[in-house]
């Protein structure tokens, strides 16, 4: 597509850049996305830089510096980029270099050179240094100089934030080909799997990180994604779970040694690091051991905790994750029954209890893609970076101008159907016929869909009645069945075993506007009828109905609605 | 798209008489669409973009125009949550968190129990952005981080559903004092009491709670309302006001003592609260004009029924009296008639008697006229006696009518033979009727 002129060959990767961790990924020549391990073997590279006597450490090495050298360690800075000091929340930086106001931006005062003087280093500069390290790690791994990237950002990253990030990246020698939204990258990572089947579905992506949680409700239609609603929580994340573990061990320590390891910065930092490790271990094992040398007052401390205990300690937070996710569904004006899939992304999504809580809050028709609920789930920590790598491979041949034009609102802003379009089966009467959707609501126009319908036993003349359908939730109160046939999940079932009659909720179709009727005549016994509905960019509709294998067929068109909101080209 | 969707439900049979030009008829247009952004990601989007661009170049103006009606999916800034901060509040000591107004600390005074989780989170963030100790240091303020801790505590309480209920239970600022009787009588009952009940409704386990309504509410609605409030199921509890339980393990008895004390206090407060609410509902009920109105209406209804009933009784009584009168009148008339009849009967009887007397005289006279059936000369006395005896026998045996008939037959008859025949016939008639025995009255034989 592009004619490579002056610029050298592009080598593009995908980068997920979080407040807690970053990942780099690339797409193999076979089209598989893979996350790259850095020199230390980490695929989740802590977004932390630390300076010791002028030497720069990054990632896990920098993270360990939080204990000894917190003042010269910069962490949790992504969300400060492109922001004014007054609109940032410095809370995550309590145990590292504190952000401060510098001109119109945010900066850190750190000793980043051999000299003993503190320098003011802006968040842009820190970002540049971090990205440069990431770029170098990728280049080392790939054996060629990486010079471009698709970087993921939260759905509510402002233009100003993107601009700052873009600048910081280019300072690091990275051309940002495109910013893509984190939840969309996660969905793309799943859809790009070779065995993935394309289907229309509503997906909730819950990106549960270290300092924040972001949820997006996405309509996936023919491989195109539209965000219907989002919810953000800047206090909910893995750090809260660490805190629960910390408090638990701190109390144990106090009981034994009468001193609170949380009172001393260094002890606190050790406690935090080990608590996080314990928490991660509990995602896989039933119990985990805690051990810190010289936790406080020179006392070594070891202990263990089992998963049940941990889940009890953090129960309140687990409930908050579920509520945030159901809240996003409400914001999209949808019902839990509408959700086909929940994609759990972000490091915290490894937590089994989060997935099982969601399992209880959503109907069995919702598949939950998390390591503990689905054997085919992709590592949630890698999802976003993988999606970015796939997008990078798709567009790296494009000229910059081309990418810009392709992502222009004239292209991206599209009318989305309000109601589903479908056909009445069994009866042509609007009250008796059964609506079968052909095109789901929230599908962007233009769109074309085809379906084949059975016909009455004897064949003959059939009616193709095309209507709009509106999904409704039917609630029936059924007396509680004596046995519900479940055996395994006894402990879960007591949650809903109050004496209220059980509510049965189901999705039903209400037939809305009738759009058109067509007759297909003389269908032979056992024949099928194929109906194709083609919605144009202006919402005019073309219909073709014909017997499968038969000749001719019926064609007709439905005019576009009188008021089409603007935006379609 | 790849393979066509397969639907196993059959299409309906074409209805009888359906027809259309080229077998197709359009009936309506699509509902208007929502303008949304398709995420510019993935191979299918790139294909879409290729089709949509047709090698055109879009400008900055196009961008603005295209974005005009796009449905927003990100929230705006928490601008709706802002209220001035009371300087006194900013000096609060976080240790005294039990006595702080958590809603005021977060700037949610006007929302209180109505604040959503989302609002609380956003309010919290807004406060953190302003009051984080790092911000204060930057502003050169020496203020400690006490208020920041207040913010954290407020958020901790309000975002924990259990703790929030405990606080809401004792959040006096959300209470609406019921108006006095005087105030109520001077003012608008619904305006004054509506908010009272709305505030109390927050404690209801059953939601939604029926509203007080207004003067147009129906009797059923009003009844439902008071029924609901008299059967109020409240989650209000009072552990928030517990005395602190000593934390040390040494003083176990003291600990248990405080715990027991707390338990009792909670129970007592709960009982008092139930009574308070009952009282409040009683007051409202007693001041509720609708109750009076419904009672009056009921009263009027009853009255109407009573009046109707009375009228009915009256009518029935009148009817009965009339009937009685009529009857009396009839009776009187009948009696009068009877009297007349009687009188007339007497006369007739007398007349008949007289007539009979006359007739007897005629009959007897006829015997005399016939010379007692003695042929020639004066009839011997024995004959006269015998004849007169027989005549009297006949007379005695016949009634007045027969007598009259006999008389009429005899009237004017002078001929002895003829008279004798008449008598003989009469005797024969009487004998055949069994009135006379054969052989009696032989004078006429
Ligand atoms: N196996 C695991 N089990 C539980 N938690 C985990 C696991 N692995 C990572 N985490 C947690 O995930 C969090 C980091 O998530 P992630 O790597 O997605 O961060 P991020 O995207 O940078 O997040 P943010 O920007 O919100 O800080 C940390 O709190 C970490 O402890």
């Amino acid at each position: 597509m592009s004619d490579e002129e002056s610029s050298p060959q592009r080598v593009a990767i995908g980068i997920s850049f979080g407040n807690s961790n970053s990942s780099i990924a690339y797409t193999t020549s076979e089209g598989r996305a893979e996350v790259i391990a850095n020199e230390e073997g980490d695929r989740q590279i802590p977004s932390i830089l630390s300076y010791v006597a002028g030497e720069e450490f990054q990632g896990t090495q920098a993270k360990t510096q939080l204990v000894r050298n917190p003042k010269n360690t910069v962490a949790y800075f992504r969300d400060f980029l492109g922001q004014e000091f007054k609109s940032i929340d410095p809370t995550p930086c309590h145990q590292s270099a504190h952000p401060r106001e510098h001109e119109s931006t945010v900066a850190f005062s750190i000793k980043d050179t051999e000299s003993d003087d503190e320098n003011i280093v802006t968040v842009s500069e820190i970002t540049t240094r971090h990205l440069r390290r990431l770029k170098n790690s990728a280049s080392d791994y790939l054996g060629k100089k990486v010079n471009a990237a698709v970087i993921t950002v939260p759905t509510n990253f402002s233009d100003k934030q993107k601009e700052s990030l873009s600048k910081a990246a280019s300072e690091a020698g990275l051309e940002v080909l495109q910013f893509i939204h984190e939840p969309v990258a996660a969905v793309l990572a799943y859809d790009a799997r070779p065995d993935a089947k394309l289907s229309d579905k509503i997906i909730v992506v819950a990106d549960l990180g270290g300092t924040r949680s972001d949820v997006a409700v996405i309509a996936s239609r023919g491989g195109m994604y539209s965000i219907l609603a989002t919810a953000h929580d800047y206090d909910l994340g893995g750090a809260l779970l660490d805190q629960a573990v910390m408090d638990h061990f701190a109390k144990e320590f106090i009981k034994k040694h009468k001193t609170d390891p949380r009172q001393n910065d260094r002890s606190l930092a050790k406690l935090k690091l080990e608590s996080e490790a314990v928490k991660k271990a509990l995602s896989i094992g039933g119990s985990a051991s805690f051990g810190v040398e010289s936790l406080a007052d020179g006392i070594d401390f070891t202990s263990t905790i089992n998963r049940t205990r941990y889940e009890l300690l953090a129960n309140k937070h687990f409930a908050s994750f579920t509520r945030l996710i159901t809240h996003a569904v409400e914001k999209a004006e949808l019902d839990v029954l509408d959700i086909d899939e929940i994609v759990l992304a972000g490091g915290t999504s490894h937590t089994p209890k989060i997935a099982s809580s969601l399992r209880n809050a959503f109907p069995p028709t919702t598949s939950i893609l998390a390591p503990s609920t689905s054997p085919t789930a992709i590592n949630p920590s890698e999802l976003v970076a993988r999606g970015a790598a796939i997008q990078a491979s798709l567009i790296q041949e494009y000229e910059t101008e081309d990418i810009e034009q392709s992502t222009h609102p004239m292209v991206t802003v599209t009318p989305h159907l309000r109601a589903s379009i479908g056909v009445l089966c069994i009866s042509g009467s609007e009250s008796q016929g059964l609506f079968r959707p052909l095109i789901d609501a929230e599908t962007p126009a233009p769109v074309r869909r085809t379906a084949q319908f059975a016909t009455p036993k004897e064949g003959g003349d059939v009616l193709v009645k095309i209507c709009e359908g509106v999904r409704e939730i039917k609630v029936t109160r059924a007396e509680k069945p004596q046995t519900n046939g479940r055996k395994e999940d006894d402990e879960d079932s007591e949650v809903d075993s109050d004496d209220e009659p059980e509510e049965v909720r189901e999705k039903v179709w209400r037939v809305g506007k009738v759009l058109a009727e067509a007759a297909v005549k003389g269908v032979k016994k056992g024949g099928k009828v194929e109906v194709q509905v083609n919605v144009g960019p202006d919402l005019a509709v073309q219909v073709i109905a014909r017997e499968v294998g038969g000749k001719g067929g019926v064609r007709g068109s439905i005019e576009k609605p009188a008021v089409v909101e603007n935006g379609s080209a | 798209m790849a393979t066509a969707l397969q639907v196993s439900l059959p299409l309906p049979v074409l209805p009888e008489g359906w027809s259309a030009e080229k077998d197709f008829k359009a009936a309506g247009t699509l509902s208007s669409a929502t303008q949304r952004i398709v995420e510019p990601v993935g191979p299918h989007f790139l294909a879409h973009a290729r089709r949509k661009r047709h090698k055109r170049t879009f400008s900055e103006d196009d961008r603005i125009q295209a974005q005009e009606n796009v449905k927003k999916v990100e929230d705006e800034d928490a601008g709706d949550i802002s209220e001035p901060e009371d300087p006194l509040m900013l000096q609060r000591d976080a240790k005294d968190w039990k006595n702080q107004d958590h809603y005021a600390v977060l700037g949610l005074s006007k929302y209180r129990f109505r604040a959503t989780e989302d609002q609380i989170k956003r309010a919290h963030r807004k406060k953190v952005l302003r009051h984080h100790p790092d911000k204060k240091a930057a502003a050169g303020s020496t203020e400690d981080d006490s208020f920041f801790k207040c913010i954290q505590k407020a958020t901790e309480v309000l975002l924990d559903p259990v703790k929030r209920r405990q606080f809401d239970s004792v959040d006096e600022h959300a209470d609406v004092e019921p108006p006095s009787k005087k105030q109520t009588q001077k003012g608008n009952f619904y305006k004054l009491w509506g908010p009272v009940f709305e505030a109390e409704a927050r404690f209801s386990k059953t939601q939604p709670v029926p509203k007080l309504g207004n003067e147009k509410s129906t009797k059923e609605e009003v009844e439902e309302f008071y029924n609901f409030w008299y059967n109020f199921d409240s989650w209000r509890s009072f552990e928030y006001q517990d005395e602190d339980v000593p934390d040390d393990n040494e003083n176990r008895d003291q600990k248990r003592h405080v715990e027991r004390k707390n338990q009792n206090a909670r129970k007592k407060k709960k009982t008092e609260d139930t009574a308070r609410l009952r009282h409040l509902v009683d007051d409202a009920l007693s001041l509720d004009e609708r109750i009076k109105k419904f009672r009056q209406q009921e009263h009027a209804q009853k009255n109407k029924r009573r009046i109707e009933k009375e009228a009915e009784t009256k009518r029935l009584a009148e009817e009965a009296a009339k009937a009685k009168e009529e009857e009396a009148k009839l009776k009187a008339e009948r009696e009068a008639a009877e009297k007349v009849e009687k009188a007339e009967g007497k006369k007739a009887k007398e007349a008949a008697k007289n007539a009979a007397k006359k007739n007897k005289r005629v009959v007897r006279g006829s015997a005399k006229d016939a010379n007692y059936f003695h042929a020639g000369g004066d009839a011997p006395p024995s004959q006269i006696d015998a004849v007169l005896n027989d005549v009297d026998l006949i007379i005695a045996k016949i009634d007045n009518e027969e007598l009259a008939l006999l008389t009429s037959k005899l009237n004017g008859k002078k001929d002895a033979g003829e008279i004798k025949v008449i008598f003989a016939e009469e005797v024969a008639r009487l004998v055949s009727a069994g009135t006379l025995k054969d052989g009696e009255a032989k004078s006429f034989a």
Side-chain angles (χ1 to χ4, degrees), chain A residues 88 94 155 178 181 225 232-233 323 331 391 405-406 412 414 416 426 442 452 463 468 515 517 566, chain B residues 5-7 10 12 18 25 27 29 31 34 36 38-40 42 53 58 69 74-75 117 121 132 135:
Chain A
I88 64 156
H94 282 181
T155 56
Q178 190 186 355
H181 290 143
Y225 315 114
H232 310 281
D233 192 321
R323 276 207 307 281
K331 279 173 90 175
Q391 182 67 10
Q405 284 289 312
S406 296
T412 58
T414 310
H416 286 57
I426 297 180
E442 300 300 357
Q452 292 185 350
L463 174 71
E468 285 190 332
L515 300 174
E517 291 184 338
N566 77 326
Chain B
L5 175 79
Q6 295 292 328
V7 180
W18 189 97
K25 51 184 171 194
T29 59
S31 299
T34 316
R36 292 188 190 277
V38 175
E39 293 293 307
R53 284 172 59 199
F58 302 115
N69 288 321
E74 295 295 340
D75 298 320
E117 184 173 0
K121 280 184 192 165
H132 193 280
K135 303 280 179 96

Side-chain angles (χ1 to χ4, degrees), chain B residues 56-107:
Chain B
R56 276 177 296 167
T57 306
F58 302 115
S59 67
E60 205 48 33
D61 284 349
D62 291 334
R63 173 187 302 274
I64 292 159
Q65 198 211 328
Q67 283 173 325
E68 222 163 55
N69 288 321
V70 172
K71 174 128 178 168
K72 287 204 174 58
V73 293
E74 295 295 340
D75 298 320
E76 301 295 309
D77 175 47
D80 52 328
I81 308 158
S82 70
E83 50 188 44
E85 291 171 333
D86 178 357
L88 271 177
M89 182 180 77
L90 295 179
Q91 285 162 24
R92 281 202 69 95
D93 184 353
K95 287 205 190 76
D96 185 31
W97 64 271
K98 273 247 164 177
N99 292 315
Q100 90 183 10
D101 177 350
H102 302 308
Y103 290 112
V105 167
L106 292 184

Side-chain angles (χ1 to χ4, degrees), chain A residues 31 87 113 126 148 163 180 201 206 232 243 286 379 420 451 490 534:
Chain A
S87 44
T113 62
I126 290 288
E163 214 175 281
I180 67 172
K201 53 194 169 184
H232 310 281
Q243 187 70 44
N379 180 351
S420 299
D490 267 346
N534 198 340

Side-chain angles (χ1 to χ4, degrees), chain A residues 336-400:
Chain A
V336 290
L337 285 169
D338 293 315
I339 308 304
D340 299 295
E341 214 167 88
I342 299 178
V343 169
L344 282 177
T348 299
S349 289
H350 282 103
T351 315
K353 185 68 182 173
I354 293 178
S356 68
S357 302
L358 286 172
R359 185 65 286 163
N360 286 334
F362 281 80
T365 46
T366 307
S367 51
I368 295 174
L369 299 177
S372 64
T373 49
S374 164
T376 58
I378 299 174
N379 180 351
S381 297
E382 296 190 353
L383 268 175
V384 172
R386 283 210 208 186
I390 291 155
Q391 182 67 10
S393 74
L394 289 174
I395 59 169
Q396 65 179 346
E397 303 297 324
Y398 280 48
E399 273 178 63
T400 309

Side-chain angles (χ1 to χ4, degrees), chain A residues 16-23 44-45 47 63 76 78-79 92 154 182 207-214 233 236-242 272 275-284 310 345-352 354 379-381 384:
Chain A
S16 88
F17 171 31
N19 288 296
S20 304
N21 295 298
S22 298
S23 288
Q44 278 72 54
I45 302 159
S47 306
K63 195 168 178 177
Y76 308 107
R78 198 248 350 240
D79 282 352
E182 289 163 347
D207 188 350
L208 315 177
T211 59
R212 58 185 275 182
S213 294
D214 301 278
D233 192 321
L236 186 62
L240 274 187
L241 303 177
D242 298 344
K272 184 169 163 54
S275 294
E276 186 183 0
V278 164
K279 175 194 74 173
K280 288 188 189 176
L282 287 171
S283 290
I284 309 167
Y310 162 62
T348 299
S349 289
H350 282 103
T351 315
I354 293 178
N379 180 351
S381 297
V384 172

